[in-house]
Amino acid sequence: MSKEAFSISKLKTIALTLLASALAVSLILYPRDALSASLRGLDLWWEIVFPSLLPFFITAEFLIGFGVVHGLGALSERFMRPLFNVPGCGGFVWVMGMASGYPSGAKWTADLRKKGQVTRAEAERLVAFTNASSPLFIFGAIAVGFFHDASLGILIAIAHYGGNFLVGIGMRFYKRNDQERSMDRASASWRDAFSKMHQSRLEDGRTLGKLMGDAVTRSVDTLLMVGGFIMLFSVLTELLKQTGAIHIFSHLLFYTGLPETFHVPFTAGMLELTTGIGAITETHEPLLAQLLIVSFILGFHGFSIQAQIASILAETDIRFKPYALARIAHGIVAAALIYVLYFVYRPFQQQSMPTWNPNENFTTPILEFFNHYGPPITLLMIMLMIAVKWNSERKAKKRSLRV
């Protein structure tokens, strides 16, 4: 290691030590605020995130284990390769990532990379556009819960998913001269796709019981990690507010021309998007300005979600930098699409905007379901994961004793 590299390494160590020490001191000085923020993050994960994402994660594990992804990949090759320069199996990740929300796309991209179905460059292209907000969050939490206007959900969703699609088109040129390429080539017929699916299931070799156990344990493990990041960044955001440090970062926004009322909410949204979006919609700025900032934050994902995805990608050789750059591009493109689409939506704005009573509780049947049944579902699945792991360890111990 050169002297200059060694000096940079020492500076990094000092910086990380100071940050960790500042966090520890802040937790000691503001224990009640930290606890409240942690509980808010826990409630979000406990009631909404875990029960809404778990079915998608388990279903995806089944589809991968049964070889369905391989069969669909062969059929999807005809449009995934020309559009995004990724193999057909990326079509599954793209659709499921949009349906279930982040960080699902990163998880399944990492799984495909571990199985050798995509190259490193293809995985980096894929993870850049397959992580999106779920329709449940856009229509339920943002449009109805924050803006109190269900019709805005369509506007935000078109800009968000359209921006992701355009980012995917742009990422097809990333490392396009890379010589390494996955095995998928020409598109296959239905018969060939079924043969590939059947062969993949045989190669997997797991029984139905084993596959179910693996699906539950892997899905719950991932969601436990997600819950930890949600609580951590909820606490970090609250501590930055209590210590006043968030205003230091928000002062940097003076040079961007952003209205001053957006500075603190935007900074909070860059850390954890749910908190920031809620604060943005509470300002008295024009609706278009709020939509522009919300769309950018949704595309950027916030550092909380980016940290979740970085943790997932760390288990592979997929680099985080292409994903991070794509998030900036997604935020800008989504905001630009909102600006254009808003003037199409505006003529219908008066008819669609409901009369809002501040004391009225805006909700949806889906959110009501998760509020009532989310916690018991979460608890039940965690207990099931513990039982499955205990049974697997018991069987492994028995086999080792026999040997």
Side-chain angles (χ1 to χ4, degrees):
M1 182 183 293
S2 64
K3 188 175 181 179
E4 182 181 356
F6 183 70
S7 300
I8 294 174
S9 179
K10 287 196 293 185
L11 289 174
K12 184 177 180 180
T13 300
I14 294 172
L16 292 174
T17 302
L18 291 175
L19 286 174
S21 301
L23 176 60
V25 171
S26 300
L27 288 171
I28 295 171
L29 293 176
Y30 304 98
R32 183 173 297 179
D33 298 304
L35 177 61
S36 299
S38 182
L39 289 175
R40 285 197 301 271
L42 178 62
D43 286 340
L44 175 64
W45 175 80
W46 176 263
E47 294 182 354
I48 304 294
V49 175
F50 188 99
S52 63
L53 285 183
L54 184 66
F56 287 97
F57 278 26
I58 293 178
T59 301
E61 292 289 342
F62 284 153
L63 293 175
I64 293 172
F66 293 148
V68 177
V69 175
H70 297 75
L72 290 176
L75 294 173
S76 303
E77 184 77 13
R78 67 188 67 193
F79 65 87
M80 290 301 293
R81 184 64 74 181
L83 282 176
F84 307 116
N85 197 17
V86 296
C89 56
F92 162 81
V93 180
W94 183 33
V95 173
M96 292 291 285
M98 285 193 296
S100 58
Y102 20 61
S104 307
K107 178 185 183 299
W108 295 319
T109 300
D111 287 344
L112 293 179
R113 178 58 183 152
K114 290 175 184 176
K115 294 177 182 295
Q117 296 182 39
V118 292
T119 66
R120 183 183 184 182
E122 289 170 346
E124 289 167 355
R125 294 184 199 119
L126 193 59
V127 79
F129 72 94
T130 54
N131 290 279
S133 179
S134 68
L136 171 66
F137 184 70
I138 290 177
F139 286 91
I142 297 179
V144 176
F146 291 143
F147 281 107
H148 312 297
D149 183 0
S151 65
L152 283 176
I154 299 175
L155 186 68
I156 298 169
I158 292 174
H160 184 65
Y161 297 129
N164 230 10
F165 176 81
L166 293 176
V167 167
I169 296 292
M171 285 298 293
R172 77 179 310 278
F173 300 104
Y174 170 74
K175 291 198 171 183
R176 59 179 176 178
N177 296 323
D178 190 51
Q179 298 298 318
E180 189 182 10
R181 187 175 169 129
S182 55
M183 293 299 295
D184 284 340
R185 289 292 187 267
S187 56
S189 64
W190 286 95
R191 179 175 295 181
D192 294 334
F194 178 79
S195 298
K196 190 168 185 178
M197 180 179 70
H198 177 66
Q199 183 64 31
S200 176
R201 187 186 69 82
L202 294 178
E203 290 175 357
D204 185 274
R206 287 178 291 177
T207 63
L208 180 60
K210 174 65 174 172
L211 182 59
M212 290 179 65
D214 290 347
V216 171
T217 54
R218 291 187 62 187
S219 300
V220 174
D221 279 343
T222 302
L223 288 171
L224 286 172
M225 179 270 295
V226 170
F229 275 110
I230 291 174
M231 295 173 66
L232 172 62
F233 275 85
S234 179
V235 171
L236 285 176
T237 304
E238 184 63 27
L239 291 178
L240 287 174
K241 289 179 181 178
Q242 294 300 324
T243 59
I246 196 168
H247 295 284
I248 299 175
F249 297 106
S250 64
H251 285 326
L252 299 175
L253 298 175
F254 277 110
Y255 302 101
T256 65
L258 198 67
E260 188 174 351
T261 52
F262 279 146
H263 288 181
V264 173
F266 180 77
T267 305
M270 294 292 281
L271 290 169
E272 205 286 308
L273 61 85
T274 307
T275 304
I277 290 174
I280 287 166
T281 57
E282 291 174 358
T283 64
H284 298 289
E285 295 294 331
L287 177 62
L288 176 57
Q290 294 183 23
L291 288 170
L292 288 172
I293 302 300
V294 167
S295 294
F296 178 85
I297 292 175
L298 273 178
F300 184 75
H301 292 180
F303 291 119
S304 174
I305 293 170
Q306 290 194 21
Q308 297 169 29
I309 291 175
S311 177
I312 294 171
L313 298 184
E315 300 175 359
T316 68
D317 61 349
I318 303 172
R319 286 167 292 202
F320 177 76
K321 185 177 178 180
Y323 162 81
L325 294 176
R327 297 286 53 81
I328 299 173
H330 185 193
I332 294 172
V333 172
L337 288 175
I338 276 285
Y339 186 81
V340 174
L341 294 170
Y342 178 78
F343 293 101
V344 178
Y345 163 81
R346 189 167 60 175
F348 306 98
Q349 179 181 349
Q350 296 300 324
Q351 292 87 338
S352 64
M353 183 70 74
T355 302
W356 177 50
N357 177 4
N359 298 319
E360 185 176 354
N361 181 24
F362 281 83
T363 186
T364 65
I366 296 177
L367 289 178
E368 282 186 358
F369 172 84
F370 283 126
N371 286 333
H372 283 90
Y373 301 107
I377 291 173
T378 302
L379 182 61
L380 177 64
M381 295 309 299
I382 291 176
M383 292 174 63
L384 180 60
M385 183 205 70
I386 294 172
V388 169
K389 279 195 170 183
W390 176 81
N391 189 49
S392 299
E393 290 176 359
R394 183 176 61 85
K395 289 182 177 179
K397 186 179 291 186
K398 280 186 176 181
R399 284 194 296 266
S400 63
L401 290 174
R402 288 174 185 172
V403 174

